[in-house]
Amino acid sequence: MLFRVSTYLDNEVPDQISYFSIANLETHVIEEYMKHFLYKTILFFTFVSVSATTMAITENTLIYGETKRPDTLDPYTSREASSLRLTQLMFNGLVSINERQEVEPDLATSWIIGNDKKVFTFQLRRDVTWHPYNNITTPFTAKDVVNTVNLLQHSKTISPLKEIFSNISKSEVIDDFQVKFTLKNPAINPIAMFNFKILPYHALKNIPYLNKSSDFANNPIGTGPYIFKKFNSNRQVTLVANKKYYKGAPNIEQIILKPFSDNNIMNQALSFNNLDMIVSVNPRHLSELQADARFSLISYNTLSYSFFGYNQNNKILSSQLVRKAISHGINREEMLRAFFNNQGTIISGPFAPGSWAYNLDVMPDEYNPLKSIALLQKAGYTRTSNGFLDSAGKLLSFRLRVPIEKNNESTKRVILAYKNFMKKIGIKINVDFIERERWKRAIFKDHKFDITFANWSFDDSSDISTLFHSASNMAWGNNFISYNNPEVDKLIAQSKISIDHQEKRTINHLLHKIIAQDVPYTFLWSLTQYAAYTKRLSNVNIHPYQFFYNVHLWKKN
Amino acid sequence: MIFRAGILKPISKTLFKEFFSSVFIIILLSMIIFFLVYISPGESLLQEYLLNLGGNEEEFSENSGPINIHQAYFSWLFASMSGNFGVSNSNGLPVLGQVLEFTANTLYLTFSALLISLCITLPVVMITVSNTFPTLSRFTNILIRLLSFLPLFWVAYILIYISTSVFDYYPLATDYEEITASQFILPVILLCLGSGVLVEIVQQLTYEIKRVLNEEYILCARAKGASVFKHLFKEGIAFPLLNLLSNRIAYLFGATIIIEQIFGWPGIGRLLWQATQDRDIPLLLCAVIICACVIRLSHFIARLIYVLINPRASHE
Amino acid sequence: MRKNNTYVSERSKLSLKYWFDITVIIYCLVVLGSVVIAYTITTFELVAFDYDEMDFDAILSPPLSAGHILGTDYLGRDLFSRLLLGTQAYLVPGIMAVSIAIFFGSLLGGLTVFGSKSAKKVIKISTDLLQTMPRLVLLLLVVAIFEANIYYIMLVVGITNIPTIADLISRRIDILRDKSFIEASIANGTPKYTLIVKHILWYNCRILLIGQAALGMAEAILMETSLSYLGFGVQEPTPSWGNMVQSGTNYLLQGNLWSSTIPALAIMFVLLAFYLVSEVIIKRIDRSPD
């Protein structure tokens, strides 16, 4: 017998055997012999049993689920929301922002603002210590603050938050508990920018810049309410309470982040008490959780919205009439109701609805297919039974490119519904789902698309300058739709210079109105995010900037 | 029997032959994978990776033009041969350590799957061959076959659904460091199903045992009253099983991608999927190579055992 | 193919088996026939199905509900018409995959007839390569790099099946060689082309290849389904049974069983039919004198 003669690959036909003709070869001899053999082997296999071990998770532990594995654990090098959320538990900034979007003192007790609004002097807390590093606890001083700024300003540091530090021209230590910052340009609400997380000097003094491969990225030390303990190979991170936390020792002893790769399974884990909290509930699970008395749902508005963006390089889409027609052709209320249980707000313009810049006087485009058809006819397209024809006599059709996201069924729903709405008004949409990295290249770099679907999320400065200013129409620029409107450019420039809040507000409201009229995007909605947690947790207080706001007060019964 | 004189020569010969063919296959495979990564549109991710591998950024930045593929391949090959697979793009940890840890987790799953599938299939085979309960054996055979035709993830979801809604029991592991047997059983059984191990073992073993028992010399030996158990075990069970299991390892590794996704098992399949998602080139290359090494190693061991039992096979 | 000592069963068993075989053949004809019919209907639009008409008020409705025989999916689209349309995703690409595998596989396998060592070596190396690299990993890589397109998936499935078929054919040739008609025809000066294509592939391997083709189709469908779970199968809005099961399973744990079960069962029945076809064919090979 050759070794390879019976190499059966999974689709290879086994030579003769068939389960329907298994009695093929049987003889009396075989049966008798095998019966004897069978009884022996049954005995042999009964011993195979694995002993069950008991679970040993201590009480008073909060386990929360995320759908993305955290990558690095320091506050700066990661782009993952799950990592950033985790670092809120371990680090503090000089100031923090509360749920009413007001600045609160954190590591700084008070601050003095210079006359030209460029110089800021912070008084630091004296009772803060870092988490133990090599079993030594070091007090928090001004040196840490300055070192953090220097690290982040180093040219080789790679961080998505680097932008914040570009406006700081100088940072100096005055004494151990006083720091002075000098800004390059005056900013609106400048104190809020000092909510960046402070890194320890003593653990980082040997490295000139931060990147993902530095030791600190996987072994963080902070001042926050929880101390990093360990992560396992699945990037399940365990944190323990910092008994010396300056705001008071946290009530919950341990916090565990548990990454899941399947959304449905995560939801099951919650309902079987294997999780205490889900950070962001998938819309399809909302009604189920709402009906369950064991869980509380807490909503938090994120400053983000979804939209369809239209490439202005496309000759047909560069016409405002066509874009307006498309916007009128979509039934947003219906989609929001059917896909998201009405958990969101329909928006009319480029600002997030929670923000001060949002102009409430501008109404969203209503669903009106007849109006769309009229607008398209006005734009000069002829209507046939199959749909609209363009000037060359071909059917009006666009390519909609969307990234594939395994865990995001709702995006798929919106896209397909959009396609259907467009079909109704006579525009053909060719949906093109592509792999995420390729999508990024196609949209942001090459601008090869007609329509795309995406989300923007903002910080509280509500800065839309890069989205619509013609100067950022370049490869990897945020104005990937190549929008060019001199009036908008002018207003954006004005808004940037202005430091008066009221004036800035007026400019932004005007901006909102113009952009809503011009429809470079079809603005859809800002969805309400829900966190779900067991009723055993109390005192939970969540807001979009800081998910774990005042986590030391949370309790588990 | 194992320590019979003259066994060393065939073993060393096999060792030698198999080792070099394995190395050859792995290098060939690495070329294919490297080529695929090279042509992928990834904003010179590969270049960046190779740059970090070398550790001397200044040297590379001088001639920062596009590097051609053979240059890139060899610099990667030499670095990886010395165990330097670089650090992960996403979390900054050395990839080799991560990959090995995840591979160990997967092996844990795979070998349990093999063991469990033996536990399930051997009785089925025995029942089938002995024709003790013809209806039962036919039913089991058809059931196993039908289950293997269903989409694996759907079967997984249905089983989880049945477990949670009918029995009110959560069948998934809560903590992978302390896993209970009942939580372990579901992924393992699904893995057996999904990789086709169950179906194959039942079919092949039934066939082989019948074939061996029908050989004329066996019939003759039995007529004389000699015990044929040893021979039956060797020819009808051990050889086909060895063969089958070593061939099925690759399929098991393939099926783990789906199983690990569903059950959140920290294994190589999930790592590979994540790496393709994040375009984590160092992780991807390392994971594929280590995966290949493990599969080759299992073939190697199977071959070695085969030669130990049957030294003549080394000539083939 | 290994030659076996076949035992003639008793008359009663034979007749039972005969009826069993008839049932199997009828089953295969019905299932595969309906797939072809579904394909024809949807491709040539003999009956107009509105497969992406959405009904937001009837999302995930169970079978036999108003207007939808098999119920609706997560967007309120009719499952029955999508199921019919889903055959489009597989038929042509699947045949493409199978023909790639069979064409190159038989070419490679056929070359071993001249006793050339290199063809055998290529077969061995490629078989080894295939066994070393999990196919799903390769598919994942290709799809991530190029495009989540059914043709790319099927191309990979086809290419990775080449060594299997080549191996089968070369083994068949080894058996045929014993009958020495190959040596005879080589000595006769039969052209190489005629020898490989006519004498070996057509006269002696065609049934084997048809059986392989059926299994290849089955495998292609299963691969697409697996990829669909990972998000890289056939992409919406084109329906495929894989992405139908995938989107359905998202709502399965909440008790909406039907939208995923129906396509899953469809996959099972069709795969069973393909498998049985190959099985019946193998049985014929065994009966036919070599």
Side-chain angles (χ1 to χ4, degrees), chain A residues 157-177:
Chain A
T157 297
I158 301 165
S159 165
L161 301 173
K162 218 174 163 178
E163 189 62 29
I164 305 170
F165 298 90
S166 59
N167 197 18
I168 299 175
S169 72
K170 213 161 69 176
S171 54
E172 302 153 84
V173 179
I174 296 174
D175 60 44
D176 263 4
F177 297 102

Side-chain angles (χ1 to χ4, degrees), chain A residues 5 9 11 13 15-16 18 20 262 264 284-285 288 334 337 404 409 413 416 420 423 433 438, chain C residues 4 20 52 54 56-57 74 146 161 164 171 212 215 229 231 236 247 250 254 276 279 282 286:
Chain A
V5 107
L9 296 171
N11 59 351
V13 188
D15 289 350
Q16 195 170 26
S18 142
F20 291 117
D262 191 312
N264 303 303
R284 66 171 172 257
H285 298 134
E288 190 188 346
E334 182 80 26
R337 181 184 63 78
I404 297 172
E409 197 73 3
R413 283 179 153 189
L416 297 174
N420 250 26
K423 196 173 153 196
F433 282 98
R438 294 187 60 229
Chain C
N4 282 288
F20 210 76
D52 57 5
M54 298 171 188
F56 291 159
D57 295 319
Y74 70 112
F146 297 105
N161 268 341
T164 319
R171 273 195 238 153
Q212 279 301 304
L215 284 185
Y229 174 70
E236 295 257 26
S247 57
N250 278 325
Q254 299 146 36
L276 289 175
E279 185 109 309
I282 301 294
D286 288 339

